[in-house]
Amino acid sequence: MNSLNNFLFIVFPYICLTSFVVGHIWRYKYDKFGWTTRSSQWYESRLLRWSSPMFHFGLLGVLAGHFVGLVIPESWTEAVGISESQYHVASAVLGSIAGVVMVIGLIGLIYRRRSTPSVFRATTRTDKLMYVVLGTVIVLGLVTTFYWQILGGGYDYRLTVAEWFRSIFYLNPQVQDIVVAPVLFKVHALSAFLLIGIWPYTRLVHVLSAPVGYLWRPYIVYRSRDDQPQAGNRDPRPGWEKPGLSGTRR
Amino acid sequence: MRVMAQMGMVMNLDKCIGCHTCSVTCKQAWTNRSGVEYVWFNNVETRPGQGYPRGYEDQEKWKGGWKLDRKGRLRLKGGSRLHKLSTIFSNPRLPGIEDYYEPWTYDYDVLINAPAGDDFPVARPKSLITDKDMKVTWSANWDDDLGGAPEHGHKDPIVKKLGDKVKFEFEQAFMFYLPRICEHCLNPSCVASCPSGAIYKREEDGIVLVDQDSCRGWRMCVSGCPYKKIYFNHKTGKAEKCTMCYPRLEAGQPTVCSETCVGRLRYLGLFLYDADRVAEAATVEDEHQLMAAQKSLLLDPRDPEVLAAARRDGIPEDWLEAAGNSPVYDLACKYNVALPLHPEYRTMPMVWYIPPLSPVVDALTETGHDGEDIGNLFGAIDAMRIPIEYLAELFTAGDVEPVNDVLQKLAAMRAHMRTKNLGEPADPEIAAAAGMTIDDLEAMYHLLAIAKYEDRYVIPTAHSEVANALLEEMPGCSVDFDSTNSDNPVGENQPVPVTIESFNLTKQRLEAQDYKDLDYKQ
Ligand code: HEM
Ligand code: SF4
Ligand code: SF4
């Protein structure tokens, strides 16, 4: 049991996180051309119009909740005067709203993928895998929330799951913190790490390039034909000439 | 003043026969791939007509280009940066398959493999998007030659604007062709709309390109361009657009659409412009003044002061020489006959059009009048309000005066050349009526009617000039590669011979980092 726990809650998360980091670097280096949302709006926009914003905005809310719940220790929120019960009510209410919005969006997205012939035909095998894993994470997360936080009296995961989660990033994983947690929390966390592991090989790479820089850059971009490779310009591969001829005018 | 060079194009619409050769050759060269089946970097639309994609000129619907806000500041019509990001998950202004058309092929296999029988086998249309049988109901030029115009003509955004005045009954209809490529704007709203900053304007020649490695498929540029000349490749998930055939231009060759144009109506050359004043010109409040503002950016390439500033800003000598011989500058600014397409979008487009006189001439000849008589022509220009208002909506934000001026010049040219061909004495009144001199009229005629390949395309090529200089230095090379060689009837560039020597020289040229590394005398 111990070694299984060690594998599931130490080895597996590290494998997934490594895959996440190395995978992204590898993909950026070798497949910038494939780094895109692969938007399917050109095929269909009636369903996408509501499902995609619902999914994304809901998801961003849920992610913000996870950030607060997992990354900020309970002692900090108590220090600023938020008691655990207040926190619980706030997170259960806000989290459920965001979660429901997200799930309706997700159902819309998946229904759209399946029912629109052009979108279905543009769905790759990795898309399907991604949706299975993403769907699992989301369904498990939602079941956990409803079972423990709404039907049950509320489980203070911030003392167990969150401690374990942070300990992973301190490179000092505390397995004992997670093994005491209810099984729903465990499988939700594990499925989330699986999603993190496959992340860089799916269309989810688009998340890392969320274009916040757009808010600050000048509107019109100029680049010189002769510019040395800069942000976004691929280095010439060894053995390949830059397109165009060298020795161009300055 | 900061001088920059811009590759520009002028199209003389009177000569377009609507053959679509430009579209087809462009497609063969650039978009004959899956994912861009529906994409025409060059398309030719019959006007009046809805265009491609359908109704793209309706900016209240698509929100392309720029607008002035209440305080008179230049803003993207599609909304602020924050607004764009907040609608990124589903872009409310994105044209879809139904606005372009569903690309299809035919099931030709059936024709060959159908078993013998009483019925003729039929190749059914199959969607290239879903592989399923489909009914073909629209395409990029479905309303060619006013096909279906009595039914659909009123959907043309300009016809809508002009109201019931535009008639589609056979006797009253007029039409002309409008070939369109990306405008390679001085103030490109596609660039400004791209959240990733993947679209850029090349400093050297102003060509607007999409960096395929930085594009992340946010598809905001498609909405941002009012001409809908950025397309979404639905297979790669990246934006693509007309590249002005930059690999060809760099080698001194005209774009594919120009090279293959049956009417030889396209002109390519450089503009020099003042980059510091672009935003100011695009912010001029009165839409009727926008064309003048745009022209005021273009600098006279023969003015010594401009040349000195251009040298200061690093534009090389051969480029200045090309700018001095630029046919597009002459047509737009010397003869003032080329007009920009939809200046009211405030993107400062750099593909210019000489509006067609043909609707006027056609109307004259059809009613049995002499279509080359200056009095008739001027009278008809005055009388034909509707075609001229239509042209004005396209080229001058609705201001009929500049269109009238151009048509009068074209009419004067027509009438003057007739007297000349008939050996009659030249009548200076004709030129004067259009505000021109006989010399200018004849020079313009030369450029519009009989200009040779190298007068229509003045493309500076740093590289091939280096290569040619190298070749000239080659010992024992007997062939003259003077690129100004003018007696080439087909107008093709001459082939560069491949020899062992030229191989080594090419290698040297490829490996050189700078001119200085090449051992030829400058
Ligand atoms: C805040 C950053 C994000 C931005 C700007 C963003 C933007 C986009 C865009 C533009 C699309 C394409 C929609 C279309 O036109 O078809 C998309 C699709 C998608 N995004 Fe995001 N996204 C973000 C975050 C996320 C996150 C965190 C996830 C999940 C973990 C996610 C999951 C998805 C999925 C699954 C799709 C595919 C939808 C479909 O077509 O079936 N996104 N996203
Ligand atoms: S016409 Fe070309 S340069 Fe101008 S906004 Fe559209 S895509 Fe950009
Ligand atoms: S090839 Fe020339 S004449 Fe033919 S449609 Fe194109 S622009 Fe017009």
Side-chain angles (χ1 to χ4, degrees):
Chain A
M1 202 56 207
N2 233 345
S3 60
L4 181 64
N5 278 338
N6 282 348
F7 175 77
L8 288 180
F9 299 111
I10 303 180
V11 181
F12 181 66
Y14 280 121
I15 291 177
C16 293
L17 287 171
T18 312
S19 163
F20 184 85
V21 174
V22 175
H24 271 109
I25 296 173
W26 169 80
R27 184 120 185 233
Y28 192 74
K29 226 171 143 55
Y30 291 101
D31 185 30
K32 266 186 211 160
F33 184 56
W35 194 298
T36 151
T37 63
R38 265 208 353 278
S39 163
S40 54
Q41 197 181 344
W42 186 73
Y43 301 124
E44 199 282 345
S45 62
R46 209 172 40 83
L47 291 167
L48 191 81
R49 187 173 307 142
W50 56 267
S51 55
S52 178
M54 277 182 85
F55 169 73
H56 279 96
F57 282 123
L59 181 70
L60 291 179
V62 168
L63 285 181
H66 278 68
F67 179 80
V68 176
L70 293 178
V71 178
I72 298 179
E74 185 163 330
S75 53
W76 293 20
T77 45
E78 298 215 311
V80 294
I82 304 172
S83 75
E84 161 60 17
S85 57
Q86 287 170 325
Y87 175 85
H88 169 76
V89 172
S91 76
V93 171
L94 293 176
S96 303
I97 295 173
V100 167
V101 170
M102 168 179 75
V103 166
I104 297 175
L106 183 73
I107 292 171
L109 282 177
I110 295 177
Y111 171 73
R112 168 178 179 271
R113 288 245 149 226
R114 190 61 198 88
S115 67
T116 317
S118 47
V119 182
F120 187 54
R121 197 165 165 265
T123 307
T124 62
R125 254 182 282 144
T126 11
D127 285 342
K128 290 175 191 163
L129 174 73
M130 184 271 301
Y131 264 122
V132 168
V133 179
L134 180 68
T136 309
V137 178
I138 289 175
V139 168
L140 285 173
L142 221 68
V143 170
T144 311
T145 305
F146 274 91
Y147 184 79
W148 282 100
Q149 313 298 76
I150 293 181
L151 299 182
Y155 175 76
D156 189 359
Y157 59 86
R158 294 201 293 164
L159 294 178
T160 56
V161 184
E163 294 288 340
W164 161 76
F165 182 78
R166 283 200 301 277
S167 72
I168 290 175
F169 293 91
Y170 298 147
L171 301 182
N172 180 17
Q174 303 296 319
V175 188
Q176 74 280 2
D177 282 337
I178 177 91
V179 285
V180 298
V183 67
L184 274 175
F185 282 94
K186 290 188 201 167
V187 282
H188 173 58
L190 288 177
S191 62
F193 270 111
L194 180 63
L195 182 65
I196 290 174
I198 63 165
W199 197 285
Y201 319 103
T202 66
R203 71 180 326 140
L204 295 180
V205 284
H206 74 274
V207 179
L208 234 67
S209 34
V212 277
Y214 181 53
L215 295 174
W216 295 282
R217 77 161 168 81
Y219 262 145
I220 308 294
V221 179
Y222 291 94
R223 273 199 218 171
S224 169
R225 183 169 66 202
D226 309 338
D227 274 353
Q228 286 310 303
Q230 41 165 281
N233 257 0
R234 182 166 57 197
D235 283 326
R237 300 237 174 91
W240 287 81
E241 294 291 338
K242 247 178 88 166
L245 306 171
S246 329
T248 45
R249 68 197 189 81
R250 285 277 146 201
Chain B
M1 177 157 80
R2 185 162 52 104
V3 184
M4 288 179 85
Q6 168 76 42
M7 188 48 80
M9 187 185 279
V10 171
M11 300 191 215
N12 181 4
L13 294 186
D14 256 337
K15 289 180 148 192
C16 182
I17 58 169
C19 64
H20 299 276
T21 306
C22 45
S23 306
V24 171
T25 50
C26 172
K27 191 155 192 44
Q28 291 291 10
W30 297 113
T31 58
N32 60 349
R33 298 164 281 136
S34 70
V36 284
E37 309 90 344
Y38 76 102
V39 169
W40 298 85
F41 288 165
N42 183 109
N43 76 293
V44 183
E45 43 200 51
T46 300
R47 305 310 298 263
Q50 294 181 64
Y52 157 82
R54 271 188 258 202
Y56 68 94
E57 284 155 310
D58 183 356
Q59 301 311 338
E60 289 322 302
K61 178 170 179 195
W62 302 115
K63 304 272 182 207
W66 304 85
K67 62 167 185 192
L68 297 184
D69 69 4
R70 261 176 274 113
K71 292 187 184 146
R73 289 170 306 189
L74 194 62
R75 291 287 179 266
L76 282 177
K77 202 172 171 82
S80 69
R81 297 168 198 246
L82 214 53
H83 179 260
K84 291 227 148 178
L85 290 191
S86 72
T87 56
I88 200 166
F89 304 122
S90 171
N91 179 347
R93 309 285 176 185
L94 191 77
I97 209 167
E98 63 284 0
D99 299 297
Y100 297 92
Y101 65 99
E102 183 163 353
W104 74 90
T105 183
Y106 292 94
D107 188 4
Y108 294 111
D109 206 38
V110 175
L111 301 184
I112 299 162
N113 291 330
D118 290 341
D119 302 325
F120 258 113
V122 174
R124 289 177 192 281
K126 296 268 182 194
S127 164
L128 283 170
I129 303 299
T130 61
D131 282 345
K132 296 194 175 23
D133 281 340
M134 67 173 271
K135 214 175 144 203
V136 179
T137 56
W138 196 257
S139 82
N141 57 333
W142 206 247
D143 51 1
D144 228 9
D145 294 340
L146 298 184
E151 216 178 307
H152 298 292
H154 62 276
K155 294 182 195 155
D156 173 344
I158 296 184
V159 173
K160 272 189 203 159
K161 197 163 178 184
L162 295 180
D164 295 336
K165 285 188 265 177
V166 182
K167 298 279 186 285
F168 293 107
E169 285 81 44
F170 187 70
E171 299 78 18
Q172 289 162 289
F174 67 95
M175 61 165 241
F176 57 93
Y177 302 104
L178 182 72
R180 296 199 304 124
I181 63 170
C182 162
E183 303 279 340
H184 297 276
C185 309
L186 294 186
N187 186 34
S189 49
C190 59
V191 175
S193 306
C194 171
S196 314
I199 312 180
Y200 60 98
K201 201 165 169 61
R202 287 216 302 196
E203 277 167 18
E204 287 82 359
D205 47 20
I207 295 177
V208 176
L209 296 172
V210 183
D211 180 342
Q212 292 290 307
D213 276 351
S214 327
C215 172
R216 299 281 170 260
W218 306 120
R219 36 133 176 72
M220 286 297 175
C221 53
V222 180
S223 318
C225 170
Y227 303 92
K228 291 292 165 280
K229 278 296 172 188
I230 292 218
Y231 302 88
F232 193 77
N233 180 325
H234 60 89
K235 278 269 158 48
T236 64
K238 305 243 162 171
E240 293 191 22
K241 67 182 289 299
C242 157
T243 63
M244 222 183 202
C245 294
Y246 74 87
R248 288 176 60 92
L249 289 184
E250 286 176 6
Q253 296 174 335
T255 65
V256 169
C257 55
S258 307
E259 173 92 52
T260 58
C261 174
V262 171
R264 300 189 178 185
L265 57 88
R266 299 195 185 211
Y267 298 79
L268 281 165
L270 285 182
F271 290 114
L272 298 180
Y273 72 101
D274 182 359
D276 282 341
R277 285 188 40 246
V278 172
E280 181 192 318
T283 315
V284 166
E285 198 185 323
D286 180 0
E287 287 186 349
H288 289 178
Q289 296 305 317
L290 275 168
M291 182 180 72
Q294 177 167 341
K295 280 190 179 178
S296 78
L297 294 174
L298 305 179
L299 305 168
D300 181 354
R302 289 133 203 164
D303 177 345
E305 266 177 50
V306 169
L307 290 175
R311 286 191 187 97
R312 179 201 64 203
D313 293 337
I315 300 182
E317 230 30 67
D318 56 319
W319 280 57
L320 294 181
E321 194 186 318
N325 295 326
S326 168
V328 296
Y329 177 81
D330 283 351
L331 291 170
C333 297
K334 184 172 166 198
Y335 306 123
N336 282 305
V337 288
L339 306 171
L341 182 63
H342 290 301
E344 72 274 20
Y345 298 163
R346 298 178 185 273
T347 62
M348 308 272 120
M350 282 294 126
V351 172
W352 303 64
Y353 293 90
I354 304 177
L357 186 65
S358 51
V360 175
V361 176
D362 288 351
L364 277 177
T365 45
E366 270 160 25
T367 49
H369 291 86
D370 177 359
E372 291 181 330
D373 178 84
I374 188 72
N376 286 350
L377 281 166
F378 273 45
I381 292 173
D382 274 343
M384 296 196 54
R385 304 312 313 166
I386 287 129
I388 289 171
E389 276 177 38
Y390 190 94
L391 290 172
E393 289 294 338
L394 274 181
F395 300 119
T396 55
D399 186 4
V400 289
E401 259 339 285
V403 177
N404 260 342
D405 286 351
V406 175
L407 295 185
Q408 287 182 357
K409 284 178 183 165
L410 298 177
M413 181 178 87
R414 213 178 146 81
H416 173 77
M417 289 315 296
R418 202 253 305 255
T419 60
K420 196 161 167 165
N421 288 342
L422 294 180
E424 291 169 4
D427 178 1
E429 288 297 308
I430 293 180
M436 292 181 82
T437 64
I438 289 184
D439 284 349
D440 272 353
L441 216 50
E442 288 184 2
M444 183 168 95
Y445 167 78
H446 185 91
L447 192 52
L448 289 185
I450 53 178
K452 290 274 188 307
Y453 194 84
E454 53 282 337
D455 301 324
R456 282 181 280 132
Y457 312 130
V458 181
I459 303 161
T461 86
H463 322 300
S464 74
E465 160 204 285
V466 172
N468 286 343
L470 284 168
L471 288 165
E472 276 160 22
E473 289 251 307
M474 265 168 54
C477 179
S478 58
V479 192
D480 181 13
F481 284 102
D482 185 356
S483 58
T484 57
N485 193 342
S486 63
D487 45 26
N488 184 332
V490 196
E492 297 288 352
N493 276 356
Q494 297 184 348
V496 177
V498 181
T499 64
I500 271 297
E501 291 91 323
S502 67
F503 170 76
N504 278 327
L505 286 162
T506 310
K507 190 156 166 274
Q508 184 197 357
R509 176 163 49 86
L510 285 173
E511 286 169 356
Q513 295 298 316
D514 206 339
Y515 279 175
K516 292 181 230 82
D517 301 343
L518 294 168
D519 56 348
Y520 80 95
K521 293 180 256 26
Q522 196 124 27

